[in-house]
Amino acid sequence: MLNRKFQSTKRQSACPFNSAHPGAAPYTAEYPYTGAKNGLPGTQIGGIKVPADGDTAHAFEAPGPNDIRGPCPGLNAAANHHFLSHDGITTFSELVDAQQNVYNVGYGLAVTLATLGVGLDGDVITQKLSLGCDATSRTSATGSLLGDELGLDGHNKFEGDTSLTRNDYFLANGDDYSFNGTLFAMMDATCEGNFNRDNLALYRSQRYAQSRATNPNFYYGPKSTLLYGAASFLYELFPSGGPAGTPDLATISSFFGATPNGAGGYTFNNAEQIPADWYNRAAPFSILDAAVEIVALYAEYPVLLGGNAGVDNFDELGTFGSVVSGGKLSGNASDVVCLLYQLVTDDIPSSLSGVLELPLEVIQWAAGKLNPVYAGTGCPLLTV
């Protein structure tokens, strides 16, 4: 089992209610960043200092006890700098804008990730999403199409087993969102201070082996490809200058809120933040760029997709469209591009015994958001 000697205290025992909803701090003519506003494309020109000198509206502010944070350090940091609403209840437009303005994520990928988040874990009517726990009373106005809106903590939707620094859901009584210092230390030991593609590919394979060996409910399906995409953010988005920068321990620790505890492990400091004197990447990180990195990370240590029906009782997924064959992920980045579209516009296996059947309203909403940015990719698109 996992050694939790260095694991920090559970972030929140219950989902907090915060009556104050400030919304993201507005962008101004003086501080436009990439110019993304209202869920529309920005300039896609990066190399911008974030936060800009003098932009006090986007200065770091640690979250309080009633602010929601979840399993994604990049979004947590954006909320802590008010690029997303500081209370942790965000919107589709805020997500699209912040990804572009903070990290210079390409517009198409920003729309994809925001659609996945809101479509799978939020509310497509209000277009609101909790960055962490189930805040249905605040994200839904009329009753959710998905039932409870679990937020990004929701298991086997956006979040999944083998996270870089979070526990598997079934190994921690449902706590798949709190920072685990033991896992961060394991990642640091594997990467040896350089969180690049090769080292993170190795660490991803180690986490897969660890979870498969210890989690009787382990599941690693098509949505698990998102875990490779998330790993690529550590060297594509988090270094100052993006891939032109260095994904070193100081940078990654800042985004993850990790502080050495003096005993070989790490504790959580509640301060996930953009490092000082930090610039975003010059060129936008596109849908195809993300797919290329997913394929590259997976190809270094290919593993079987599937899940456990008890410890040491693994069943492979088999075939899923053109992207999974014989339990293995396709090596064609174009197939992965189409999978990213399909994850929220089709019924996708979410366990060994079932699929996540999305309501028609969610699928139609998602297709309406994604079709414009996937036009020309060659992927079959739904008619809406």
Side-chain angles (χ1 to χ4, degrees):
M1 297 295 289
L2 292 179
N3 173 5
R4 297 195 176 91
K5 179 180 178 182
F6 303 125
Q7 184 179 352
S8 63
T9 302
K10 188 173 182 178
R11 185 192 286 268
Q12 290 161 329
S13 58
C15 199
F17 181 83
N18 189 342
S19 59
H21 176 66
Y27 304 103
T28 65
E30 186 176 4
Y31 305 114
Y33 296 94
T34 70
K37 295 176 69 173
N38 303 316
L40 298 173
T43 64
Q44 310 285 282
I45 300 172
I48 298 167
K49 189 173 184 179
V50 184
D53 292 336
D55 183 10
T56 56
H58 290 109
F60 169 77
E61 180 186 357
N66 291 327
D67 295 321
I68 296 171
R69 298 294 184 267
C72 179
L75 295 183
N76 292 342
N80 290 344
H81 284 273
H82 297 270
F83 287 100
L84 300 173
S85 186
H86 196 267
D87 67 341
I89 302 295
T90 189
T91 67
F92 177 85
S93 291
E94 280 187 3
L95 288 163
V96 173
D97 296 345
Q99 290 177 79
Q100 295 179 85
N101 288 325
V102 177
Y103 299 110
N104 200 17
V105 171
Y107 179 68
L109 183 58
V111 168
T112 299
L113 296 175
T115 301
L116 283 163
V118 174
L120 296 178
D121 290 317
D123 190 289
V124 302
I125 305 300
T126 64
Q127 300 194 49
K128 292 180 179 179
L129 171 71
S130 164
L131 294 182
C133 50
D134 181 345
T136 304
S137 65
R138 300 175 62 198
T139 55
S140 174
T142 59
S144 172
L145 293 168
L146 294 175
D148 291 338
E149 295 168 358
L150 300 179
L152 292 181
D153 292 352
H155 183 55
N156 276 346
K157 292 185 174 184
F158 212 105
E159 176 279 332
D161 294 334
T162 78
S163 166
L164 297 178
T165 62
R166 268 60 176 174
N167 297 309
D168 287 5
Y169 180 90
F170 287 105
L171 291 180
N173 297 317
D175 183 2
D176 55 6
Y177 48 85
S178 296
F179 173 87
N180 183 319
T182 300
L183 292 178
F184 190 92
M186 178 179 167
M187 180 170 70
D188 178 33
T190 298
C191 293
E192 298 181 321
N194 185 3
F195 298 79
N196 63 13
R197 179 200 285 170
D198 291 343
N199 290 336
L200 283 167
L202 174 58
Y203 180 60
R204 281 238 40 82
S205 72
Q206 292 170 346
R207 286 290 291 123
Y208 173 93
Q210 185 180 45
S211 290
R212 179 171 163 176
T214 60
N215 183 353
N217 298 291
F218 169 69
Y219 184 70
Y220 206 75
K223 289 190 182 73
S224 298
T225 55
L226 296 172
L227 296 165
Y228 292 95
S232 76
F233 296 168
L234 274 65
Y235 56 86
E236 291 287 348
L237 301 183
F238 285 1
S240 184
T246 303
D248 56 23
L249 179 59
T251 298
I252 303 306
S253 295
S254 181
F255 278 106
F256 278 79
T259 297
N261 65 6
Y266 289 84
T267 56
F268 181 64
N269 58 28
N270 199 39
E272 295 154 295
Q273 62 184 299
I274 299 167
D277 197 30
W278 187 88
Y279 291 77
N280 61 18
R281 55 181 288 138
F285 191 53
S286 70
I287 297 170
L288 181 59
D289 291 334
V292 167
E293 290 307 317
I294 289 169
V295 168
L297 284 162
Y298 177 84
E300 289 204 36
Y301 301 91
V303 294
L304 288 173
L305 276 64
N308 283 344
V311 175
D312 294 326
N313 188 20
F314 180 83
D315 292 332
E316 71 176 54
L317 180 63
T319 297
F320 180 78
S322 62
V323 74
V324 178
S325 179
K328 295 287 187 72
L329 184 69
S330 169
N332 187 334
S334 296
D335 289 338
V336 175
V337 167
C338 296
L339 175 63
L340 294 175
Y341 175 88
Q342 192 177 5
L343 288 180
V344 75
T345 58
D346 201 354
D347 295 338
I348 301 293
S350 58
S351 69
L352 285 178
S353 58
V355 299
L356 176 65
E357 296 182 356
L358 295 169
L360 179 61
E361 294 91 341
V362 172
I363 291 173
Q364 290 177 330
W365 175 84
K369 295 292 188 185
L370 295 179
N371 282 4
V373 299
Y374 278 80
T377 62
C379 302
L381 306 183
L382 295 179
T383 301
V384 294

